[in-house]
Structure formats: C-alpha cells, structure tokens
Amino acid sequence: MDVKFEKPYDPKEVEEKIYRKWEESGFFNPEKLPGKREKPFTIIMPPPNANGHLHAGHALFITLEDIMTRFERMRGKKALWVPGADHAGFETQIVYERELEKQGRSRFGMDPKQLYDEILAFTLENKKNMETEVRAMGASCDWSREKFTLDQDVISETQRTFKQMYDDGLVYRGSRIINWCPKHQTSLSDVETEFKEQADPFYYIKYGPFTIATARPETKFGDKYVVMHPDDERYKEYKEGQKLEVDWMNGKITATVIKDEAIDMAFGTGVMTITPWHDQTDFDIAERHNLDKEQIIDWRGKLLPIAGEFAGMKINEARPKIIEKLKEKGLLIKVEENYKHNVKVCYKCGTAIEPQIKDQWFVKMKPLAKMAIDAVEAGKIKFTPENYKKIFLYWMENTLDWNISRQIVWGIPIPAKLCPKCKTGVPDLDDSIKTCPACGGAAEKDPDTFDTWFSSGQWPYLVLGYPESPDFKNFYPTDVMETGHDLIFRWVPRMVIFGLYRTGKVPFHTVYLHGLVNDVKGKKMSKSKGNVINPLELSKKYGTDALRIGLVVGNTPGTDLALSEDRIRGYKNFANKIWNVSRFVLTNTEEADLSSKPELTEEDKKILDELKTTVTDVTQDMENFRYYIAAEKIYHYFWHTFADKIIEEAKNKIKAGGAEKLSAQWAIFEILTTALKLLHPFMPFITEEIWPHVSKPGNMLIVEKYPD
RNA sequence: GCGCGCUUAGCUCAGUGGUAGAGCGACCCGUUUACACCGGGUAGGUCCAGGGUUCGAAUCCUUGAGCGCGCACCA
C-alpha cells in the first residue's frame, strides 16, 4: 500500500484530476457502468439558466441530486442524471436588455432576427461557463445526454404539443385580460407577477348622484357603467339598465346602472364604476352583462385620446393634473391619504402591471389540473416534505387559464397563423396555411414566442427524447424531481400536467423540494444588497467536498438555509480529518496481512457491530431522502466515534501486538473503507482520492458497492 | 381573508411519545509523531404561553401570542 499522502489535504490539487478521471471512466453514463444493472434510477436536472454564473442555490441542488445519483449508482442501479441548460426566455432577454442598455442600445427598433442572434451568442457563451461550474461541484451527470432548451428536437416537440392541445380543445385564442408589463412590452402569466404593498391617496369622486372611490383616477375617463350590489338597500331606487346623465371628467356622459354581486357592499360607498379594459374584476362584470370595453391606456402606459387634453401623458404625470381638474369641476369630494393597497408588479423590474385586453393563446387549465390532482391523490407522486402535497393540490384546485403568448423574441416561436381581420388564430406546424380558415383573408405568422414554462414544463420527457428515443422507454417516468420550493407553482404542476397529457404517465414519482439558500442572517441573497455568496469561491477556499456537506448537514427539505462561511470552514476541517485518519490507518496496517478475516477480540466485534448499526441507520435515512441527518450521523460517527475513540484505543492494541493487534488492524481498516463508501455521495472528491490507497490501484469508489 | 410553516443552548438549526442534541461561538486545560484544520473538559435551555389526552408530552390534540412564507382581493 502506498501511503505517500501529503498533509494537510489540499482540494485544489485533487478535484480537477478526480473529475477528469470520472469523466474518462464513462461511469456517468448508465450504459457504461460495470456489472449487470437492471433497475434504472433517473433524475432530470433542472436546467440552470445559461445567462450567468452558478449561485448558492445551484450548488445546493447539484449537491443533493449528485448525492441521490451516487448513492443509487453505488447500490447497483442504472443511474442516470441528465444535465441541461435553459435559454430562460424572458429572464435571459432581460439580462441581455441590460447589456444593451449599458451600450446605449435598446431592443425596441432592433431587427428581431439580429436580436435573437445576439442573445443566442450571449447565451452559448454563458452556457459554457455554467457547465464548467457544474463540473466543479462534482456533478456526476451524463454530459453525453445534455440538452439545451432550444435544441431543435425540443422546439419541434414543444410545438407539436401546442398543436395537439389546440386540436383537443385545450388551447384557445382569446381576447382576455392579461398582465402587461409596460417596461418589458410583453404579457406575463400570473406566476410572473408579484404584489407590492403601496400607500397611495384614495380619491372620492362625485359620479352623478353617487360617490365612487378610486386610487386610479386616470383610468376613469371612459367609465360609463355604474355598478352596485343587487341587494344593496341604499341604492334600490336605481334599476338595472337605468340611464343617467352624469357630468364627468370631460363633460356630460350617459351612465348605465348595472347590478352585480361582485360588489362588496361594505367597501367604500358600495358603488363603483368600471374600466373593463384595465381591470380583471371589471372585465368579468363586463363579460357577464355584455358591456362595451374601451382601452384608456396604451401599451406604453400613456393615455389615449379618450382622455382629452391628457392624451399622450404618462400615468404618473397625468394623475395630479387630473385631480386638479376634478377639483376645479367640483367633482372631488375628499381624499384619503395613505390608502394601503396591493399593486401588481412585474416580478423582474417591479414596474406596475397594467392589465390590458389582448388577443393571446391560452391553455384551458381545469381539465388538465384535474388529471394532476387525480394522479397526486392516487399517490403516484410523493412530496418531500409531505406538506407540499397540500400546497400543490390547493393550487391545482384554484388554477386559472394560462396565457402562453409572450411578446419577446428569445424563445420558441408559437407555430401559428393569425388573421388580422377577424382575429382567428390557428396552429400551423409546417408553415402551410396562407389564408384565414374563418374569413379567407391573408393569414400572418404569429410573431410571439411561448412562455418558457410551456416548454420547460415538458422538460422531463423532452430530455429523454420523447417519443422515439430508447432513453424515453428505459428511463421514463423518472424517479425524483429535485428543485427549489419556490418552483412548486411555477414549474412542478406544469411538468405533471404535460407529462400526464402527452405520455399518459407522471413524469416523476417523487418531488423533493429544497429550501432557498440565504445569507448568514437568513436574508435573501441579492446583488443589490451585496450579500451574495459565490459557491465557486467557497469551493476554492474550502474545497468542494466541504461546501457540499456543509450545504447538506442539518438542511431539512423545504426549509431555507442561512449559509455561513464558518459552517463550510468546519467541514473543511472534517475533510482534513478524513485525510489524516486515512493516513493513520494506512501506515498502521501497511505490513499487516488483511487478506482474510482474523480472529477478532470481543471488543472489536462489538465495534464492528456498532459500525453495522450505523450503516443500516444511515442507509435508511438515505433511502428516505433524509440527507440532512444521514450526513450528520456519518460525520459524527467518523469523527467522534471512529477517530476520537476507536482509533485512540487501537493505538494501544497495536502496541500490544499479537492477535489483539491484528484484530484492531482489521477493525480500523474495515471501518475506514466502509466509512469512505458512506461518505462518497456527500464528499466524492476526497473519498475517491483516497480509495486507490485502501483498495487496489485503479479501482474507483464511484462504482464500489454501497455497504449493507 | 384563505392556506402552509416556524417558535428548542449566545447564533444557525436537528430531534417529534420514554432521563434535552449537533455545528459554530464562549471558557478552562493539554503540543503523548494521523490530525493544533487537534485532543480533553466546563458553562449555557421552566423545549413561546395556557388548557387537554397519557403512567409519561419538546414531541399528540386544543386555544392564544409572536414571526415567516404563499395565494387571493382590494372599486
């Protein structure tokens, strides 16, 4: 045995070399694994965005998924972990727009083709960085199967899904209220918006015989319907459909009385006027009563000619002027300052969302959600932690139709033709439709792209080459979907829905949701706060193994982690401990003949029984996704039982010589090799580095059999 | 408003019916060749509060308080 270890352990020298060794071995590819392996174990990696560098959250998910993969590989499964890269539509386009801004350019007015090509080049560059960083984390994923979300087969299959859903009546073209971001000039789905609490003045305005209240006077120019609850005694003299002459912002108008139960009698005066074009509730009321809808604010957030002298003004500029005018006209009754309400904003830029009516493609969610609910209730998908099942079901039961059109170039084109005349839209996969099937007019290509989640929701089966590839037959459904708990709404339900819809099977059997990685104070990391911890730096400073186990120990699924450097430093010391224990064991067993099991002392038998108990215990935790506790148990056993007690006592036994010595040598050697195997999923580099010294040169721990 | 969590040692958090745990930090002692990236030891907790179930509750039930998160609404 060769015991020429340097001291202390230096991860820098080891990690790259070991990773290369793994890649050259081919063992990341399940087909190249040694031995007969029947059962597959599959994880599809949530593809990191190819628009920047890895952050701490990536480091955590790579570690967890690598632990799962390495564990199952060592247990003799055909382990497959497929890496990917996400073009990340809207997100990447925003990142690139910032780049453009820095150069004094803007995407608006740019030729779409040129913009697309520039973003593509930018993305491919970042993709390379991202891949290098995933490797640096020790990910044992099969690079030969890597997929990019804009690979041609992914695009084609995504587009086919769209067509199929249209044919099945699950996708429709609709003129409905959507979330419009005036800065980014695109519509957004509900999960791409957030609510921000804001304090604004609340204006009480005279509207004929009524008083209405609003925080948004600038939308009120076209309000010609006044709505109250049918049971409201205060207004029972007014009848549905009754017309009233009202002196309004820009002169006299005719208002119509509408009765609708959506009105909250207790709120404000119990009367409101509606702006169907710019408000969901108002839109719904207008739909129910078949009322006119008129656009007041344009796509850039400026007032239209209906606003009279205010036309062309931005909302914030117009508002005080409008209030001034209302005052002059004697229409302003009172102002309540500091009215707190929630404003919907774009989740990326924080700009107030302007609801608008727009012709878009929508997915009818109810029937799809039903399939997902049934699958989960039938136990076909399990959640870790379990309470996310409730959250999943709750969301699924309350889902709304999903707008999948985006007015950005960076994405998968919606394969459809639109008729500018009659607004009809039809899918067209092979660009063969030239005239509108409804009115015969010239059909134009839909310039929009899909919401990223429309394609990434199909990721599990697209990655495996659905429907033709043998990989799909061999590895689908996958075993685990491991992702952040913030994606429980954005991503997980869509994968379940699409998986069931297109393949008839759930895409995965287990959903493991990790928490967010926050800074040491538990605050969310963000560039603007300057509290971002770069995992690559930690890896360089303390070693990847230390980073990995530091991210996992005590980190229960679903719970956010406050990451401190101290924590990682502690595990660097542990790596060094492993190193030194290995040196000790090797130097003290070097001349011993351990080719066959010697007669063991009673005490050593007991020690080895205890090892077995630990193995069983840890294995059970591993099988049940309790990595946070498994890691801690191995750590504790290795350091405070093995190193502090067993080895300390072994020193005397070795000195004593004879049978006692040989027994002790056998025991410590056995414990070391077993412990290295248990540790390998968590700390793959150092354990792999040591392995040839305790095994035969050339043997690799990555494919050793997990102890039992 | 609805939903989901959390509240345990100075800090970060495990534990989830049977005499309170870890890491980090603090304090004291110790350089016996695997390791000072170390070893030995010490201090520190009415396990948020009240009520209940139980032989026994940090753990189960119930009420309440505080905190966090998600969803929805807000004319």
Side-chain angles (χ1 to χ4, degrees):
Chain A
M1 266 172 268
D2 164 23
V3 200
K4 290 190 195 85
F5 282 23
E6 292 301 316
K7 62 169 194 174
Y9 173 62
D10 182 10
K12 275 196 273 311
E13 288 184 18
V14 169
E15 293 183 0
E16 254 183 74
K17 180 189 78 187
I18 292 287
Y19 197 86
R20 217 176 307 123
K21 204 168 135 186
W22 286 328
E23 278 205 281
E24 283 161 6
S25 76
F27 294 152
F28 293 171
N29 182 339
E31 258 103 57
K32 296 189 177 165
L33 285 167
K36 260 194 286 163
R37 287 166 191 257
E38 274 153 31
K39 280 183 87 176
F41 176 82
T42 316
I43 297 182
I44 305 297
M45 182 189 292
N49 292 353
N51 59 20
H53 293 272
L54 253 46
H55 58 248
H58 289 119
L60 173 61
F61 95 64
I62 292 167
T63 301
L64 285 168
E65 289 168 32
D66 196 44
I67 288 168
M68 296 177 195
T69 307
R70 287 181 188 271
F71 175 64
E72 297 295 351
R73 189 187 287 120
M74 291 176 80
R75 303 229 297 168
K77 294 212 182 130
K78 254 189 335 190
L80 171 62
W81 181 22
V82 191
D86 194 348
H87 73 285
F90 183 51
E91 303 238 350
T92 301
Q93 178 147 333
I94 290 166
V95 172
Y96 196 71
E97 275 177 31
R98 283 196 207 113
E99 294 285 310
L100 286 172
E101 261 172 47
K102 274 186 222 156
Q103 301 167 22
R105 299 162 69 202
S106 159
R107 93 181 222 223
F108 303 108
M110 264 179 92
D111 170 44
K113 174 83 172 65
Q114 158 141 20
L115 178 62
Y116 184 95
D117 289 345
E118 283 189 27
I119 300 178
L120 180 64
F122 172 80
T123 302
L124 293 178
E125 196 52 43
N126 279 295
K127 181 168 169 283
K128 273 188 272 174
N129 296 336
M130 184 273 284
E131 288 158 359
T132 307
E133 293 173 1
V134 171
R135 284 182 164 86
M137 290 294 121
S140 65
C141 51
D142 183 3
W143 293 104
S144 73
R145 285 176 161 89
E146 190 191 10
K147 274 268 184 246
F148 178 45
T149 52
L150 288 182
D151 283 346
Q152 190 48 53
D153 55 335
V154 173
I155 292 175
S156 308
E157 207 50 48
T158 299
Q159 293 179 330
R160 267 197 283 279
T161 301
F162 171 73
K163 170 80 162 69
Q164 192 180 318
M165 291 179 95
Y166 178 85
D167 292 342
D168 287 344
L170 291 166
V171 155
Y172 63 93
R173 185 86 185 157
S175 192
R176 304 190 29 204
I177 285 262
I178 48 97
N179 299 302
W180 183 259
C181 174
K183 175 171 161 67
H184 290 122
Q185 292 287 292
T186 183
S187 59
L188 298 170
S189 67
D190 290 320
V191 292
E192 288 164 317
T193 62
E194 287 172 358
F195 284 98
K196 205 167 75 184
E197 193 177 81
Q198 202 168 294
D200 285 311
F202 197 48
Y203 306 99
Y204 287 80
I205 304 166
K206 191 170 148 53
Y207 187 87
F210 308 107
T211 302
I212 59 154
T214 184
R216 300 203 56 191
E218 67 279 2
T219 65
K220 299 274 150 212
F221 290 100
D223 287 11
K224 56 182 183 184
Y225 301 105
V226 59
V227 193
M228 55 218 81
H229 197 281
D231 300 338
D232 198 329
E233 290 292 315
R234 292 171 292 178
Y235 306 108
K236 66 178 177 196
E237 61 188 282
Y238 299 98
K239 306 292 175 216
E240 168 93 27
Q242 188 178 339
K243 309 274 182 199
L244 298 166
E245 277 289 293
V246 172
D247 184 25
W248 194 225
M249 295 161 126
N250 287 334
K252 292 225 182 301
I253 59 157
T254 305
T256 307
V257 173
I258 302 292
K259 301 272 180 166
D260 195 285
E261 294 184 352
I263 301 298
D264 178 358
M265 288 189 265
F267 189 89
T269 57
V271 182
M272 70 172 191
T273 60
I274 57 167
T275 315
W277 198 284
H278 299 291
D279 184 278
Q280 181 71 52
T281 311
D282 296 4
F283 178 85
D284 293 341
I285 292 171
E287 286 282 282
R288 277 197 288 276
H289 300 270
N290 201 19
L291 310 177
D292 298 340
K293 307 177 191 93
E294 194 168 3
Q295 189 172 13
I296 313 297
I297 295 158
D298 75 2
W299 305 102
R300 294 243 156 236
K302 288 180 182 163
L303 287 162
L304 286 162
I306 189 170
E309 72 253 44
F310 306 106
M313 282 187 201
K314 286 250 179 200
I315 286 161
N316 288 341
E317 181 194 350
R319 192 177 294 172
K321 292 183 180 155
I322 292 167
I323 293 304
E324 207 42 53
K325 182 170 179 189
L326 285 169
K327 236 185 252 173
E328 278 165 28
K329 294 193 68 162
L331 293 176
L332 188 69
I333 294 165
K334 67 167 179 176
V335 181
E336 200 177 293
E337 297 294 339
N338 276 324
Y339 166 66
K340 279 196 187 126
H341 61 149
N342 289 320
V343 181
K344 217 182 215 187
V345 297
C346 169
Y347 83 120
K348 273 290 146 189
C349 65
T351 303
I353 290 293
E354 191 57 70
Q356 295 269 13
I357 295 177
K358 198 168 169 57
D359 283 304
Q360 304 271 276
W361 293 103
F362 292 89
V363 172
K364 199 185 279 177
M365 292 298 276
K366 275 264 153 18
L368 293 164
K370 175 78 169 56
M371 287 166 42
I373 290 167
D374 290 347
V376 167
E377 280 181 343
K380 289 179 187 161
I381 299 175
K382 300 240 183 299
F383 292 83
T384 300
E386 283 168 8
N387 67 298
Y388 276 85
K389 176 182 169 181
K390 267 194 235 168
I391 298 175
F392 179 93
L393 289 174
Y394 179 83
W395 194 75
M396 275 297 174
E397 276 152 14
N398 294 286
T399 186
L400 301 168
D401 283 1
W402 170 25
N403 168 19
I404 52 170
S405 300
R406 293 294 176 278
Q407 290 69 49
I408 58 177
V409 303
W410 184 235
I412 298 178
I414 297 179
K417 290 290 161 61
L418 306 176
C419 175
K421 242 200 289 177
C422 72
K423 307 286 184 194
T424 299
V426 279
D428 181 21
L429 290 180
D430 51 9
D431 201 16
S432 61
I433 295 171
K434 306 287 177 212
T435 55
C436 172
C439 73
E444 289 174 6
K445 199 178 158 1
D446 188 339
D448 291 351
T449 52
F450 286 118
D451 177 359
T452 322
W453 300 107
F454 187 80
S455 50
S456 52
Q458 306 182 52
W459 196 236
Y461 60 85
L462 292 179
V463 167
L464 294 171
Y466 174 83
E468 305 280 290
S469 164
D471 274 0
F472 176 73
K473 291 179 193 74
N474 295 335
F475 296 104
Y476 190 91
T478 69
D479 288 273
V480 183
M481 173 46 64
E482 193 290 322
T483 190
H485 71 64
D486 53 328
L487 293 176
I488 184 69
F489 298 136
R490 279 197 232 279
W491 194 31
V492 177
R494 310 211 199 273
M495 286 191 284
V496 176
I497 280 172
F498 282 119
L500 287 167
Y501 173 66
R502 286 229 57 192
T503 75
K505 288 178 188 162
V506 292
F508 32 73
H509 298 301
T510 299
V511 178
Y512 181 107
L513 297 157
H514 63 254
L516 306 179
V517 183
N518 293 323
D519 77 357
V520 68
K521 291 184 195 115
K523 292 271 181 291
K524 196 171 173 175
M525 291 188 199
S526 77
K527 278 177 199 154
S528 55
K529 269 185 262 172
N531 61 349
V532 175
I533 301 173
N534 179 344
L536 275 305
E537 275 172 30
L538 289 178
S539 158
K540 272 188 203 127
K541 212 160 154 190
Y542 303 108
T544 304
D545 290 322
L547 172 63
R548 287 171 56 120
I549 195 163
L551 283 168
V552 169
V553 171
N555 186 2
T556 45
T559 309
D560 295 350
L561 176 76
L563 180 64
S564 73
E565 262 197 65
D566 276 346
R567 192 186 170 92
I568 308 301
R569 186 154 36 80
Y571 291 105
K572 177 184 188 263
N573 297 348
F574 180 52
N576 197 47
K577 193 75 183 178
I578 296 170
W579 194 250
N580 282 303
V581 165
S582 301
R583 288 175 54 213
F584 176 86
V585 171
L586 285 167
T587 45
N588 285 282
T589 53
E590 211 173 3
E591 50 12 294
D593 175 17
L594 299 176
S595 55
S596 63
K597 190 172 179 178
E599 187 65 29
L600 295 177
T601 63
E602 283 308 310
E603 202 188 338
D604 286 335
K605 276 184 195 158
K606 229 179 92 190
I607 285 170
L608 289 173
D609 280 348
E610 202 188 330
L611 171 71
K612 209 170 163 55
T613 311
T614 305
V615 168
T616 310
D617 206 13
V618 166
T619 306
Q620 265 171 23
D621 289 332
M622 297 292 282
E623 284 170 342
N624 290 293
F625 305 102
R626 294 189 297 257
Y627 307 109
Y628 61 100
I629 194 92
E632 197 184 322
K633 279 176 188 162
I634 307 168
Y635 171 89
H636 209 259
Y637 177 81
F638 196 93
W639 199 318
H640 300 299
T641 301
F642 185 35
D644 290 350
K645 298 201 178 80
I646 297 171
I647 285 191
E648 286 310 314
E649 284 158 19
K651 284 177 183 173
N652 291 329
K653 297 176 190 167
I654 287 167
K655 251 183 231 153
E660 201 183 347
K661 176 178 177 183
L662 192 59
S663 172
Q665 285 174 318
W666 172 272
I668 59 171
F669 192 79
E670 180 68 17
I671 294 171
L672 176 64
T673 53
T674 305
L676 287 174
K677 289 175 193 168
L678 295 182
L679 279 165
H680 183 256
F682 298 93
M683 307 178 78
F685 289 108
I686 187 171
T687 51
E688 188 71 82
E689 173 69 9
I690 294 166
W691 193 250
H693 301 282
V694 301
S695 168
K696 288 198 191 90
N699 279 7
M700 289 178 78
L701 184 51
I702 185 173
V703 288
E704 279 296 329
K705 190 173 167 302
Y706 200 80
D708 49 26

